[in-house]
């Protein structure tokens, strides 16, 4: 939540306090930099002018392919003779004097439709961010001498008709540093924009929000470097968040500040000037999560912290550890016993077979030896 102060001080053009006004509900809207950046990107595309290359560019010549069998590529070649141009490749995007690849067309999708609720949400977020001094300073504005944010000016500020008086009032209110920064930042633009009526670049300064119609401060401050003016009923995200970055330094006239509740609503009831529109609310009324968790109300209900250090459990391989395997399959012990018994039976049977074979071999050897002695067997 951006700002939750109930009252805001109203200053005169001499920077003297002349009263207080209630903070409009729009300054309590959630700050959504992702939504502001998305809406700003799409809104900025709606000011583009269509451009395209000439429809016949690269094809304003007679050219035909020579076909195959002449040891050259099949790209179309300029017809005729008597000049260097004849025989040169044409039409292709790789050819000198040819068309570009995928020639640009004026029927490209230039504009972007943005949901109305998203546009309103983005403007509300940008307004809420303009009341947070760290966000305004992070955007580059010089507000060290500004008495209060948001800055509301009453008295005869909106009726000032002379530029010199407007400069004097802005200086008294602490805005001189920001205006001077903009004036000194005017530089020659790099690139071809210099030839296209965008010769200079300059930083953005204060945004004066007013309710005047072609009179007063609207005429007095319109020629100051970096200073922009906008009617409170025509607040524009491109001015409230230039470049998609929230935190524009806004100077509010008292009448414009008081009109915000009728434009956006107070956060609980629908707005008067936007049919059925209610300001978005934050999912958490208090974003300080650590404070909520450590509060007495929460800590009185949670379980106490467990003592003792945590023992890391070592994962054992059940294929190598019989106890782990028994946890997974209790029948494995019986299986192993059956397998061991079968193995012992096979071992005993093999021992009997080997003993029987060895006994037969010994008997054969004894018979042969006896026959040799008696002379019945001759080799």
């Amino acid at each position: 939540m951006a700002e939750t102060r109930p009252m805001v001080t109203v200053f005169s053009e001499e920077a003297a306090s002349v009263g207080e006004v209630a903070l409009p509900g729009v300054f309590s809207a959630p700050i959504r930099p992702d939504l502001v950046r998305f809406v700003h990107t799409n809104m900025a595309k709606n000011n583009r002018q269509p451009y395209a290359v000439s429809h016949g560019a690269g094809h304003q010549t007679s050219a035909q392919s020579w076909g195959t069998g002449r040891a050259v590529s099949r790209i179309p070649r300029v017809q005729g003779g008597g000049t260097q141009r004849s025989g040169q490749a044409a039409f292709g995007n790789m050819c000198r004097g040819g068309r570009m690849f995928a020639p640009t067309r004026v029927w490209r999708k230039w504009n972007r439709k943005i949901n109305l609720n998203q546009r309103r949400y983005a403007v509300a977020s940008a307004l809420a961010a303009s009341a947070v001094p760290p966000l305004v300073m992070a955007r580059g504005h010089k507000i060290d001498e500004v008495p209060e944010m948001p800055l509301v000016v009453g008295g005869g500020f909106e009726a000032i008709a002379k530029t010199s008086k407007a400069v004097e009032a802005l200086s008294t209110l602490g805005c001189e540093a920001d205006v001077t920064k903009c004036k000194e930042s005017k530089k020659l633009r790099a690139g071809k924009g210099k030839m296209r009526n965008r010769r200079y670049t300059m930083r953005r300064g204060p945004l004066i929000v007013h309710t005047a119609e072609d009179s007063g401060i609207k005429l007095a401050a319109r020629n100051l470097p970096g200073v922009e003016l906008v009617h409170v009923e025509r607040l524009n995200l491109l001015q409230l968040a230039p470049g998609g970055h929230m935190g524009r330094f806004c100077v509010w006239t008292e009448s414009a500040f008081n009109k915000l509740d009728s434009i956006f609503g107070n956060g609980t009831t629908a707005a008067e000037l936007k049919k059925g529109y209610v300001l978005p609310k934050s999912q958490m009324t208090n974003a300080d999560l650590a404070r909520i968790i450590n509060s007495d109300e929460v800590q009185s209900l949670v379980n106490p912290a467990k003592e003792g250090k945590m023992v890391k459990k070592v994962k054992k391989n059940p294929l190598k550890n019989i106890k782990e395997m028994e946890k997974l399959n209790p029948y494995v012990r019986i299986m192993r016993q059956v397998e061991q018994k079968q193995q012992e039976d096979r071992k005993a049977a093999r021992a009997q077979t080997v003993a029987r074979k060895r006994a037969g071999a010994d008997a054969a050897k004894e018979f042969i030896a006896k026959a040799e002695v008696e002379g019945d067997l001759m080799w």
Side-chain angles (χ1 to χ4, degrees):
M1 190 173 293
E3 287 286 338
T4 54
R5 300 195 316 272
M7 304 298 289
V8 178
T9 306
V10 180
F11 297 92
S12 66
E13 57 267 30
E14 291 84 16
S17 176
V18 293
E20 289 185 340
V21 292
L23 186 74
V26 69
F27 289 100
S28 299
I31 296 178
R32 291 283 304 278
D34 56 333
L35 185 62
V36 170
R37 194 180 306 113
F38 171 80
V39 175
H40 181 278
T41 300
N42 288 281
M43 284 184 64
K45 292 178 180 179
N46 294 332
N47 291 328
R48 293 182 294 177
Q49 179 174 329
Y51 65 89
V53 296
S54 174
H55 180 72
H59 280 267
Q60 294 173 333
T61 181
S62 62
Q64 275 189 331
S65 173
W66 288 356
T68 59
R70 301 184 63 174
V72 292
S73 63
R74 289 176 285 189
I75 191 77
R77 296 179 183 277
V78 178
Q79 295 177 333
T83 176
Q84 285 184 330
R85 182 60 173 152
S86 60
Q88 288 184 355
F91 297 169
N93 64 313
M94 77 291 292
C95 302
R96 177 180 177 272
R99 51 152 176 80
M100 66 179 290
F101 167 76
T104 52
R105 307 294 188 187
V106 292
W107 56 78
R108 182 190 298 185
K109 183 182 176 183
W110 299 102
N111 297 322
R112 298 291 187 272
K113 181 184 179 300
I114 313 157
N115 293 342
L116 177 62
N117 200 44
Q118 285 184 317
R119 280 182 282 155
R120 289 174 172 174
Y121 201 150
V123 171
S125 291
L127 288 175
S130 68
V132 183
L135 295 179
V136 177
M137 296 178 70
R139 227 202 140 267
H141 293 288
K142 307 293 183 183
I143 59 171
D144 296 334
E145 304 299 327
V146 177
E148 187 176 334
M149 293 293 292
L151 180 59
V152 183
V153 187
F157 180 74
E158 192 166 318
I160 294 176
K162 301 293 288 183
T163 303
S164 58
K165 295 290 185 181
V167 171
E168 182 180 350
L170 290 175
S171 177
T172 306
L173 291 168
C175 307
E176 183 180 9
D178 203 44
V179 176
T180 304
K181 177 207 69 173
C182 296
K183 183 178 180 180
E184 294 176 350
S185 69
K186 188 174 181 179
K187 297 288 189 301
L188 201 66
R189 181 185 295 272
K192 289 191 176 182
K194 289 191 293 290
M195 313 173 194
R196 298 171 179 168
N197 295 327
R198 318 189 277 270
R199 193 165 185 82
Y200 297 98
T201 62
M202 187 168 56
R203 305 287 84 78
R204 301 290 185 99
L207 177 66
I208 300 177
V209 187
H210 60 86
T211 57
E213 295 289 348
D214 297 329
S215 62
I217 192 65
K218 184 175 181 180
L219 302 179
R222 64 182 178 179
N223 202 34
L224 297 178
V227 178
E228 294 181 346
L229 298 103
V230 64
H231 195 279
V232 67
E233 294 181 3
R234 296 184 285 273
L235 289 170
N236 187 356
L237 185 68
L238 300 178
Q239 290 181 310
L240 291 173
H245 306 294
M246 297 186 300
R248 181 74 185 266
F249 175 31
C250 297
V251 180
W252 299 84
T253 63
E254 186 177 4
S255 57
F257 200 73
N258 292 330
K259 203 169 184 179
L260 284 175
D261 274 344
S262 61
I263 296 174
F264 292 97
N266 57 10
T268 56
T269 59
E272 297 178 12
L273 302 182
K274 299 182 189 295
K275 183 178 179 181
Y277 178 70
V278 181
L279 279 169
K281 296 181 181 180
S282 299
Q283 292 184 351
M284 296 180 63
T285 56
N286 183 6
D288 193 351
L289 187 60
R291 182 178 179 182
I292 295 175
I293 294 175
N294 295 324
S295 63
D296 294 336
E297 293 81 3
V298 175
Q299 290 297 321
S300 62
L301 299 176
V302 298
N303 295 329
K306 295 181 174 60
E307 300 293 336
K309 67 177 183 177
M310 180 178 177
V311 178
K312 183 179 178 181
K313 184 178 180 180
V314 179
K315 179 174 172 58
K316 297 179 181 179
N317 187 357
L319 298 176
K320 297 181 179 180
N321 192 308
I322 184 60
K323 292 185 178 180
E324 292 295 321
M325 178 61 81
E326 288 177 357
K327 292 179 182 178
L328 300 175
N329 184 9
Y331 188 69
V332 73
R333 178 181 293 274
I334 300 175
M335 291 172 58
R336 287 176 63 87
Q337 291 175 355
V338 172
E339 184 179 354
Q340 289 176 357
K341 185 177 184 307
Q342 292 175 351
Q343 185 176 359
E344 292 175 356
D345 293 343
R346 289 193 300 271
K347 188 176 180 181
R350 178 177 175 78
Q352 292 178 0
T353 303
V354 171
R356 187 173 59 254
K357 289 181 178 181
R358 286 178 178 173
D362 293 341
K365 289 179 181 180
E366 183 180 353
F367 173 77
I368 292 173
K370 183 178 180 182
E372 286 179 350
V373 173
E374 295 177 354
D376 294 338
L377 186 61
M378 299 296 292
W379 298 100

